[in-house]
Amino acid sequence: MEHSRPRLARTVAAVRKFVAEHRSQGQQIGLVPTMGALHAGHLSLVQAAKDRGDVVVVSIFVNPLQFAPTEDLDSYPRDLDTDLALLGTAGVAVVFHPDPASFTPALAATTVHVADLTDGLEAVTRPLHFDGVTTIVTKLFNAVGPDRAYFGQKDFQQQAIIRRMVADLNMGVEIISCPLVREPDGLAMSSRNAYLSKTEREQAVALSRALRELRDRWDGDAAAQRRWLRDALVDAPGVTLDYAEIIDPGTLAPLEGTHPGPAQAVVAAYVGPTRLIDTISLKEGPPDAAGS
Ligand code: AMP
């Protein structure tokens, strides 16, 4: 079905005005925060919001606060026209695309920091990354005022941190975590996959292949299975392992010994210069608790 292009809000005042118009008609608002260069993983979050009957607001903002100086802020893929066309077809009402100079001014003095959950995994290689994420997500929540916000389980640590932040600070936004969407051969969809050469693209499948094999062989022996996972990835051609962990999906703590309960495997690895992450549930936990 053809849809018109979404309305484009470039300022906080503009997005508030658009959202207020929808609210005055009794509609609820679902926010999907993204950095653009959209793919089917992002669109699955939009669909989840539509399935709940939300008016969908997508933010597109390459957040400078979550990139270290050595990382790929400048080269991160940006294609607003294609994104707007995709979001129009997907039936999105409003796109919030603020200007970095005004949305993240250099003189800002406030950071939102979530302790503990931000200590390991991604944070070892990217120590300030999550402060950048939680600060910007707070700003997006304050700008848009959504009833619900949708995040991908692909960024497993991120969605746990945001859930915790929302609960700790009584943000009143319901957090919905959506399943990871993969390419047909298993590679986790990511805007950064565009960086991969043909050979690297083939090598990158090693991550999802190892995770699927791990899920099939999971017997609760966390130490032995983690060793197996690390060996599988260290041996994979073209892959340089950053970390491979088996964690409690609620606390994100690495599992030790034999563990009959819920378990999640998380990995990060470089394929060529590109850093990729992937994750799989080895044993499901209780259903997601809603943020409050
Ligand atoms: P990003 O634009 O990469 O910052 O991602 C924006 C949102 O989309 C985050 O909540 C991600 O977890 C989610 N996302 C990214 N890739 C995928 C994927 N392959 N499957 C599901 N969600 C995803």
Side-chain angles (χ1 to χ4, degrees):
M1 190 169 45
E2 276 295 304
H3 286 82
S4 51
R5 286 206 158 201
R7 299 162 82 183
L8 182 61
R10 300 300 312 264
T11 63
V12 173
V15 76
R16 283 192 178 140
K17 179 167 166 286
F18 289 166
V19 166
E21 285 169 21
H22 287 288
R23 267 203 196 294
S24 69
Q25 295 161 25
Q27 293 169 309
Q28 296 211 318
I29 310 299
L31 173 66
V32 178
T34 81
M35 298 206 300
L38 302 177
H39 51 67
H42 298 112
L43 297 179
S44 75
L45 307 183
V46 169
Q47 190 57 47
K50 289 189 69 183
D51 289 347
R52 285 185 183 241
D54 292 344
V55 167
V56 187
V57 179
V58 172
S59 60
I60 297 180
F61 185 64
V62 183
N63 171 21
L65 305 181
Q66 71 185 61
F67 288 79
T70 51
E71 292 180 343
D72 55 342
L73 173 63
D74 291 337
S75 60
Y76 195 84
R78 291 165 172 87
D79 188 352
L80 185 63
D81 268 352
T82 306
D83 288 349
L84 290 176
L86 278 172
L87 295 176
T89 308
V92 167
V94 178
V95 170
F96 180 41
H97 180 54
D99 169 37
S102 61
F103 197 56
T104 48
L107 292 176
T110 304
T111 298
V112 179
H113 174 71
V114 176
D116 299 336
L117 294 176
T118 57
D119 284 347
L121 306 175
E122 285 296 285
V124 175
T125 299
R126 312 185 75 190
L128 297 177
H129 172 73
F130 287 118
D131 282 1
V133 170
T134 45
T135 301
I136 219 71
V137 170
T138 300
K139 286 169 68 71
L140 291 170
F141 286 179
N142 287 337
V144 174
D147 298 280
R148 277 170 286 279
Y150 296 80
F151 292 89
Q153 285 176 5
K154 171 174 181 263
D155 296 271
F156 196 84
Q157 188 176 11
Q158 171 176 279
Q159 53 88 40
I161 289 167
I162 287 167
R163 199 174 276 286
R164 183 62 186 272
M165 172 185 83
V166 164
D168 284 356
L169 298 181
N170 306 98
M171 286 184 167
V173 180
E174 185 184 358
I175 302 301
I176 312 287
S177 297
C178 300
L180 195 164
V181 177
R182 299 182 178 282
E183 299 287 355
D185 66 359
L187 178 68
M189 286 194 180
S190 164
S191 305
R192 290 192 168 96
N193 291 349
Y195 297 149
L196 300 171
S197 70
K198 189 165 176 294
T199 306
E200 290 164 352
R201 172 67 186 77
E202 285 161 12
Q203 293 169 330
V205 179
L207 274 65
S208 57
R209 198 184 299 134
L211 287 175
R212 283 183 169 167
E213 211 170 321
L214 180 73
R215 182 191 58 197
D216 292 344
R217 68 199 307 281
W218 176 246
D219 60 0
D221 184 345
Q225 299 279 15
R226 177 167 45 234
R227 240 184 345 264
W228 179 89
L229 178 62
R230 286 182 181 165
D231 286 349
L233 290 169
V234 165
D235 289 345
V239 173
T240 306
L241 182 62
D242 185 350
Y243 65 81
E245 283 291 354
I246 298 172
I247 60 171
D248 178 310
T251 65
L252 306 183
L255 298 179
E256 304 297 341
T258 305
H259 190 82
Q264 185 85 21
V266 286
V267 302
Y270 295 89
V271 179
T274 305
R275 189 170 180 280
L276 301 176
I277 59 173
D278 201 343
T279 183
I280 203 164
S281 171
L282 303 173
K283 185 163 179 186
E284 296 288 337
D288 285 340
S292 56

